[in-house]
Amino acid sequence: MMPKPMNVLTTKPSPLSTMVMVLILCILGFYALHFPHSSTRSSSSQNLSHVDTLFLSTSSNFTISSYLRALTVHPHLAGTKPASDTARYVLNHFSSLGLEAHTATYTTLLSFPLRSSLSAHFSDGSSASLRLTEPAAAGVVPSYHAYSPSGAVYARAVFVNYGRERDYRALGTMGVNVSGCVVVVRKGGAIGRGAIVERAEAHGAAAVLVYGEGDTWRKGFERGHVMRGGIGDPLTPGWAGVEGGETLGLEDSEVLKRFPKIPSMPLSAEVADTILSSLGGVPVPHEWRGTLRSKVRHVGPGPTILNFTYQGEKKVATIQNVFAVIKGSEEPDRYVLLGNHRDAWTYGAVDPSSGTAALLDIARRFSVLLGLGWKPRRTIILCSWDAEEFGMIGSTEWVEQNLINLGSKAVAYLNVDCAVQGPGFFVGSTPQLDSLILEVTKMVKDPDSEGVSLYENWAAAAGGGSNNIQRLSGVDSDFAPFVQHAGVPSIDMYYGRDFPVYHTAFDSYNWMAEYGDPFFHRHVAVTGVWGLLALHLAGDPILPFNYVSYANELQLYKNILSNLIDQKISLHPLILSIEEFASAAKEADDELKKLRLQETEGCFVDMKKRALNDRLMLAEKGFLDGDGLQGRQWFKHLVFGPSSDHEKLNFFPGISDSITSSAGVTERERLASIQHEIWRVARAIRRAASALTGEFT
């Protein structure tokens, strides 16, 4: 049985101390907002620094903890009644704070399990029925892979390491044929579960079983989806699944290609060991052994035979996004969006409710600032997405429905999925936001060290802050539709790289309170960074974007690419376009600095700032291409997006695909394809440079 939630916070603020704190904040807020200190900088910038201080002073680990406890009382899988109850809880929270709140609903295709079984038949004649879900946990969906087809397989087991193309090549050189077998795969190797199943299917496997290695929580089963070819509702590819709108049929070829053709299922590490320790055949390749924690010594196939059955159903269900809107006072038609998904495979204390609790606390703290007289310059929207676990469906449907407005009015999207998974701060972004991230992290206390900022420990971990910022080419959270389809500058952040109860029934409040963040200080740190980023993006008179960072990143990518491609390929178009972009970035940065120093105010200066802001905001859209990636047209961004190879470059996805695509084409055709993709990227970079300058040719 799952243990009952317990409160690890031993003290609760007394009513008197709470009242005194509120009184002090009100006094400080009144003077900070209505009597700012004089400065050579603009009064709005000066006010913002006071707002920063006030925002940070309203943090409360106890409050975040209480939100998390409420969110994790029940599992809340998308498309179920508990999920609707959780949506209502978030909506009521926003409304109770006096924020303008509303919902947006969509009709989408989800997937649920009906029944499954797995038994192993060993060479000595014995057999064992193997568990396919955690010990009883009330209301938790049995473990499964969403969108897996139903099927029954009786076949030999074979171990294929991470299930990458190079792993299958290694097996092939040893004479191991996986065709017709049940492949057992360990999670990792920078390849997602959907790609694992796709690779196995391509090599003729009959079924796939995926397990996560670990020394703890070995009874957990990692749920997830295995849909391929994009994100969002498979019945409405490229448009929103609104009530009464167009939908494709389940047998439509565009729909069918999104789903695998062989069944798959998650395994626990404990069950996987039972299978893997019984395999014979050739020994595990030497290069796989260094990181193996399981008991596997031979790869098979067999002699162990697995009898695996799975039956599931795909159902059209209603999902619900929830929003709170804080209207901007001066530029209400410019939007800063903060988003987190709300749905969970199980209790979801880490994924995603740690982020949901942080979003609820940001709403509370913004409400406090509003009560003290603050208003953002630009509009802030708090977004609570549904059905992310099924392929970023809630956010994708909303992006598709609002694509034109996002293209012309969205300043930035700030994503937090799992706010806290464990120790260590991680952040990814589109590069023009790097400088802002560095600035803001210097203002937030490190939750794990006394007397230092979050920035100091984070930067020390990689020998320099900006080098520690990841990029957003993956499709593993709700930033994907904003960056890769709409071209909105974005940030994604979290504490802790991995956690052992990911998507299992053990992802509970108890786990968070005992292991992930016992005093909820990491939650406070993430909430602080998230809120400050929003305050600056919504409040700075000139947007805090730095495209010089972007130019440097593009130069780095060009250098890496030059070491990978054939000498017959010319990078000259790319080199020239990056030089042009770097020049435009430098000019924009110089203009930005001059306007910040300008002491005079008035209509003309305001118009110059507005014009510059529009150029800074729209430049990211230049990297979009209407034709999208070859074979995956929904993905429009030519700098950041998923590569079909999954193992090559994490930038220039179209170029990466053309380098690795050799099936059915001559060498001459392959080289021509690579050159064409380089030209496409070069044209995209020139479009972005043109947007930065704001001039017609």
Side-chain angles (χ1 to χ4, degrees), residues 100-178:
E100 177 191 324
H102 68 277
T103 62
T105 60
Y106 302 95
T107 304
T108 63
L109 186 71
L110 305 183
S111 167
F112 303 94
L114 295 175
R115 60 189 63 88
S116 59
S117 65
L118 178 66
S119 61
H121 301 265
F122 304 110
S123 58
D124 62 2
S126 64
S127 63
S129 180
L130 303 176
R131 177 183 287 278
L132 281 180
T133 198
E134 296 91 350
V140 174
V141 69
S143 69
Y144 76 114
H145 283 162
Y147 305 109
S148 167
S150 300
V153 176
Y154 185 82
R156 293 180 299 168
V158 60
F159 177 62
V160 298
N161 198 29
Y162 296 119
R164 303 166 299 188
E165 194 59 39
R166 58 181 159 183
D167 295 324
Y168 286 104
R169 285 198 299 268
L171 291 173
T173 60
M174 299 187 298
V176 176
N177 182 5
V178 306

Side-chain angles (χ1 to χ4, degrees), residues 335-401:
Y335 298 88
V336 176
L337 303 106
L338 290 74
N340 156 266
H341 78 91
R342 189 182 62 254
D343 63 301
W345 288 112
T346 65
Y347 299 99
V350 174
D351 185 6
S353 298
S354 61
T356 309
L359 187 69
L360 298 182
D361 198 55
I362 282 179
R364 176 190 66 82
R365 292 161 76 174
F366 283 175
S367 176
V368 170
L369 295 181
L370 287 166
L372 296 172
W374 163 81
K375 286 185 179 179
R377 181 186 185 92
R378 304 177 187 92
T379 297
I380 294 174
I381 304 180
L382 308 181
C383 313
S384 176
W385 309 118
D386 203 354
E388 186 270 356
E389 298 294 8
F390 289 86
M392 281 64 77
I393 291 181
S395 58
T396 299
E397 300 310 295
W398 190 82
V399 166
E400 289 173 342
Q401 187 178 23

Side-chain angles (χ1 to χ4, degrees), residues 236 265 322 460 656 669:
T236 58
M265 175 71 71
V322 183
S656 177
E669 289 171 331

Side-chain angles (χ1 to χ4, degrees), residues 253-300:
S253 60
E254 286 297 308
V255 176
L256 290 176
K257 71 182 184 182
R258 299 286 298 276
F259 308 135
K261 295 180 174 60
I262 60 174
S264 63
M265 175 71 71
L267 290 184
S268 68
E270 188 176 79
V271 170
D273 268 353
T274 300
I275 298 169
L276 295 175
S277 62
S278 69
L279 295 181
V282 299
V284 171
H286 180 75
E287 60 268 26
W288 296 2
R289 298 177 192 173
T291 56
L292 270 174
R293 297 181 187 176
S294 56
K295 296 179 180 179
V296 60
R297 295 293 177 266
H298 299 84
V299 300

Side-chain angles (χ1 to χ4, degrees), residues 375-618:
K375 286 185 179 179
R377 181 186 185 92
R378 304 177 187 92
T379 297
I380 294 174
I381 304 180
L382 308 181
C383 313
S384 176
W385 309 118
D386 203 354
E388 186 270 356
E389 298 294 8
F390 289 86
M392 281 64 77
I393 291 181
S395 58
T396 299
E397 300 310 295
W398 190 82
V399 166
E400 289 173 342
Q401 187 178 23
N402 295 279
L403 192 60
I404 299 301
N405 279 331
L406 285 170
S408 59
K409 300 176 181 179
V411 171
Y413 173 69
L414 311 176
N415 188 68
V416 171
D417 191 320
C418 309
V420 179
Q421 304 177 143
F425 181 67
F426 296 89
V427 63
S429 76
T430 47
Q432 73 273 65
L433 291 165
D434 288 0
S435 297
L436 177 63
I437 292 169
L438 301 183
E439 177 186 338
V440 163
T441 52
K442 292 173 183 176
M443 302 169 64
V444 176
K445 294 178 182 177
D446 188 274
D448 298 314
S449 302
E450 287 288 335
V452 298
S453 69
L454 188 157
Y455 170 82
E456 290 174 86
N457 273 350
W458 170 55
S466 59
N467 295 330
N468 213 11
I469 297 175
Q470 302 159 19
R471 298 304 168 207
L472 303 178
S473 287
V475 287
D476 47 359
S477 195
D478 291 300
F479 61 79
F482 286 92
V483 175
Q484 298 160 16
H485 191 68
V488 176
S490 297
I491 293 174
D492 181 54
M493 60 187 155
Y494 49 95
Y495 249 89
R497 185 178 292 278
D498 296 302
F499 64 108
V501 295
Y502 177 65
H503 288 185
T504 75
F506 303 119
D507 183 9
S508 65
Y509 180 90
N510 287 359
W511 187 89
M512 180 64 77
E514 189 170 349
Y515 301 102
D517 193 14
F519 299 103
F520 287 80
H521 291 159
R522 292 168 185 159
H523 282 78
V524 170
V526 170
T527 308
V529 174
W530 201 6
L532 289 178
L533 288 169
L535 289 173
H536 281 266
L537 287 163
D540 283 9
I542 303 173
L543 291 177
F545 286 3
N546 181 354
Y547 277 94
V548 174
S549 296
Y550 220 129
N552 293 338
E553 196 79 0
L554 292 172
Q555 182 66 39
L556 173 65
Y557 297 163
K558 186 272 296 181
N559 293 342
I560 295 172
L561 186 62
S562 66
N563 294 321
L564 292 177
I565 61 169
D566 192 288
Q567 293 303 309
K568 298 174 184 177
I569 300 293
S570 172
L571 285 179
H572 190 62
L574 194 61
I575 293 168
L576 291 181
S577 67
I578 293 172
E579 288 175 355
E580 185 177 325
F581 182 85
S583 176
K586 176 69 165 55
E587 288 179 17
D589 197 52
D590 290 344
E591 183 181 351
L592 181 152
K593 289 172 181 174
K594 287 178 183 176
L595 279 173
R596 278 182 179 164
L597 292 172
Q598 194 150 355
E599 295 183 27
T600 58
E601 294 186 9
C603 203
F604 177 70
V605 174
D606 288 343
M607 287 177 64
K608 288 182 71 175
K609 290 178 180 178
R610 172 84 169 189
L612 174 60
N613 283 340
D614 283 352
R615 284 150 47 202
L616 294 171
M617 185 179 71
L618 295 173

